[in-house]
Amino acid sequence: MLRRLVAGLAAAVLVAEAAVLVLVHVVLGRTTANQSMSIAGSDPVVMSRVTFGLGVAIGAFLLLCAVLLAVAGLRDRPPGRFARFVLAAAAVTHALLGALSVGLVGWGAFAATMLVFCLLVLSLTLYERRPGAELRPTSP
């Protein structure tokens, strides 16, 4: 029961985080385009499009993580190899962003990032090892 709850909560939090990050990137992209801002002679149109693209990429990655967690929670089975890799990458990313956010944004952003990090790690570690998944020695 706890595994399903944690996986569902983590999926919901990741969907909300994806929406917020996409919104932030849209605002940043529009601001860059409207202000004709340039950094060291960079084209403002290119900067705006790259910002939109990065927002879509981050949102898609977080939505993929949310779908993988939702599937694991609905089936009440541990995530597969690909899903574990993607979720571990998301956890590492959140840990690094948490370390950066405490200095750049503040303790509130750190707490929010660490909440997502903890949900990801907990959803990966709550499932027991399957009996048939033990490591077997390879024959020479």
Side-chain angles (χ1 to χ4, degrees), residues 22 24-39 42-56:
V22 167
V24 165
H25 280 82
V26 166
V27 168
L28 288 174
R30 286 192 178 171
T31 303
T32 304
N34 291 339
Q35 298 291 324
S36 295
M37 300 166 84
S38 175
I39 298 176
S42 299
D43 186 17
V45 174
V46 172
M47 289 176 52
S48 176
R49 289 183 183 160
V50 168
T51 303
F52 289 139
L54 287 175
V56 168

Side-chain angles (χ1 to χ4, degrees), residues 1-88:
M1 180 69 178
L2 180 65
R3 295 183 297 214
R4 287 183 169 198
L5 178 67
V6 169
L9 184 61
V13 168
L14 285 173
V15 168
E17 184 182 10
V20 167
L21 286 176
V22 167
L23 179 66
V24 165
H25 280 82
V26 166
V27 168
L28 288 174
R30 286 192 178 171
T31 303
T32 304
N34 291 339
Q35 298 291 324
S36 295
M37 300 166 84
S38 175
I39 298 176
S42 299
D43 186 17
V45 174
V46 172
M47 289 176 52
S48 176
R49 289 183 183 160
V50 168
T51 303
F52 289 139
L54 287 175
V56 168
I58 290 171
F61 177 70
L62 291 175
L63 287 178
L64 172 66
C65 292
V67 167
L68 293 174
L69 283 169
V71 167
L74 288 174
R75 292 182 180 173
D76 200 21
R77 292 184 182 172
R81 185 172 292 180
F82 173 74
R84 291 181 74 80
F85 176 76
V86 171
L87 294 173

Side-chain angles (χ1 to χ4, degrees), residues 4 18 21 25 44 53 71 74 85 93 96-97 108 118 125 136 139:
R4 287 183 169 198
L21 286 176
H25 280 82
V71 167
L74 288 174
F85 176 76
T93 303
L96 292 173
L97 287 175
C118 290
T125 58
R136 297 183 184 131
S139 56

